[in-house]
């Protein structure tokens, strides 16, 4: 294990990325344990931080740590990989604290334990997934051409690699506009998924559907919309239920009423 770590992580220059990755996961898990204990009114070392009547959210500490880690990483002397790893870990802790309250930043109100608060967990999962793929050596948008493509006669042409990059980027945009977020993100590293996501039917609530076939679009297509709704019900809803179960196992139940709904009433 030690030899593998040295060869694949240290010798390849990925130690700072690994430290960021590990710190992100550990800090997120610790933060969620902490807030769940606070919510359950369990007395232990940590509690809510307030200055007067102002509750200081942990995103504030995250921003400070990200600034400290990021700036420190910039000023550390080149070749000091150990210190770069330390600053990357500090940045990872800060990123975990910020992403854990991503939903609060997005909605500009305290939705931490409401349904909208699940966006924070989604953001952390995305960050962990993307960092993990970078850590194992995958590169986004096929910047480094795989062996089959590099063997083609045209691969030596100066326009070939940029052309592949632009094509993958366009496919990624189409996939994301069709509402397939995870397919689009994974496809940045495994481009064949972008082709699948781009050619398949869009999700019914996606921007693509609203523009091209949903009721109220320029060319409403009821049949296509009905197919999209059937697919959503058959395939997407079970996946969402499973995702929510995993989220709540990791981060606790997001069961408070939405502030938006309370305001309406």
């Amino acid at each position: 294990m030690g030899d593998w770590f040295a060869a694949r992580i240290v010798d390849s220059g990925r130690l700072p990325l690994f430290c960021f990755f590990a710190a992100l996961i550990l800090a997120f898990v610790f933060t969620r344990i902490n807030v769940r204990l606070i919510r359950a009114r369990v007395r232990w070392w940590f509690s809510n931080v307030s200055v007067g009547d102002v509750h200081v959210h942990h995103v504030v500490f995250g921003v400070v740590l990200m600034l400290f880690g990021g700036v420190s990483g910039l000023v550390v002397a080149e070749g000091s990989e150990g210190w770069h790893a330390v600053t990357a870990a500090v940045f990872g802790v800060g990123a975990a604290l910020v992403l854990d309250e991503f939903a609060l930043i997005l909605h500009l109100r305290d939705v931490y334990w409401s349904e909208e608060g699940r966006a924070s967990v989604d953001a952390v999962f995305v960050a962990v997934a993307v960092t993990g793929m970078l850590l194992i050596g995958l590169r986004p948008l096929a910047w480094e051409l795989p062996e089959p493509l590099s063997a083609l006669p045209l691969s030596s042409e100066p326009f070939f690699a940029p052309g592949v990059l632009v094509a993958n980027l366009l496919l990624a945009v189409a996939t994301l506009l069709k509402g397939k977020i995870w397919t689009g993100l994974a496809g940045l590293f495994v481009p064949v998924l972008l082709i699948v996501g781009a050619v398949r039917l869009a999700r019914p609530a996606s921007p693509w559907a609203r523009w091209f076939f949903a009721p109220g679009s320029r060319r409403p297509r009821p049949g296509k919309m009905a197919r999209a709704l059937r697919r959503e019900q058959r395939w997407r809803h079970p996946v969402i239920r499973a995702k929510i179960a995993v989220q709540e196992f990791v981060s606790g139940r997001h069961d408070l009423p939405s502030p938006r709904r309370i305001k309406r009433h």
Side-chain angles (χ1 to χ4, degrees):
M1 184 66 180
D3 293 339
W4 177 89
F5 184 83
R8 297 298 300 271
I9 303 298
V10 179
D11 294 344
S12 63
R14 297 177 193 156
L15 182 60
L17 183 62
F18 173 82
C19 291
F20 169 84
F21 180 71
L24 175 67
I25 295 175
L26 292 175
F28 170 69
V29 171
F30 177 82
T31 301
R32 281 290 167 164
I33 291 173
N34 181 48
V35 295
R36 291 176 74 172
L37 289 174
I38 292 174
R39 191 186 192 195
R41 302 184 185 279
V42 175
R43 297 186 63 182
W44 78 310
W45 298 329
F46 300 96
S47 60
N48 288 324
V49 178
S50 299
V51 178
D53 295 332
V54 178
H55 170 64
V56 182
H57 289 274
H58 50 265
V59 65
V60 176
F61 302 103
V63 170
V64 172
L65 287 173
M66 288 180 70
L67 282 171
F68 179 78
V71 174
S72 299
L74 293 174
V75 300
V76 167
E78 187 176 351
S80 303
E81 189 171 19
W83 282 111
H84 276 130
V86 171
T87 58
V90 173
F91 193 89
V93 173
L97 295 175
V98 170
L99 291 176
D100 188 57
E101 295 201 312
F102 171 79
L104 281 72
I105 301 171
L106 179 64
H107 295 281
L108 292 180
R109 57 180 178 270
D110 193 348
V111 294
Y112 193 86
W113 291 116
S114 66
E115 185 177 350
E116 291 95 332
R118 293 195 181 102
S120 298
V121 188
D122 286 336
V124 174
F125 284 2
V126 168
V128 169
V130 171
T131 307
M133 286 187 283
L134 289 171
L135 192 59
I136 63 176
L138 297 178
R139 292 294 177 265
L141 295 174
W143 180 261
E144 297 175 1
L145 294 178
E147 191 66 31
L149 288 180
S150 61
L152 293 176
L154 287 176
S155 63
S156 59
E157 297 292 335
F159 63 82
F160 187 77
V164 171
L165 183 65
V166 171
N168 285 339
L169 184 59
L170 292 175
L171 289 172
V173 170
T175 301
L176 293 173
L177 288 176
K178 288 189 172 186
K180 302 171 183 182
I181 306 300
W182 283 102
T183 303
L185 291 173
L188 294 176
F189 298 88
V190 186
V192 68
L193 295 177
L194 295 178
I195 300 175
V196 175
V199 300
R200 287 182 62 81
L201 187 63
R203 295 184 60 196
S206 66
W208 190 282
R210 292 198 302 270
W211 295 339
F212 295 111
F213 61 81
S217 64
R218 288 175 293 182
R219 295 181 59 188
R221 301 177 66 178
K224 203 168 189 178
M225 188 64 181
R227 279 197 297 129
L229 289 170
R230 284 197 301 270
R231 289 187 180 185
E232 188 82 359
Q233 183 72 29
R234 182 177 181 182
W235 301 108
R236 183 68 182 176
H237 286 186
V239 172
I240 291 176
R241 287 195 294 269
K243 185 192 76 168
I244 290 174
V246 172
Q247 284 182 336
E248 293 189 344
F249 174 77
V250 173
S251 60
R253 293 183 63 84
H254 295 80
D255 53 3
L256 291 183
S258 168
R260 184 183 303 174
R261 294 175 185 171
I262 293 174
K263 188 178 294 186
R264 286 177 182 173
H265 292 294

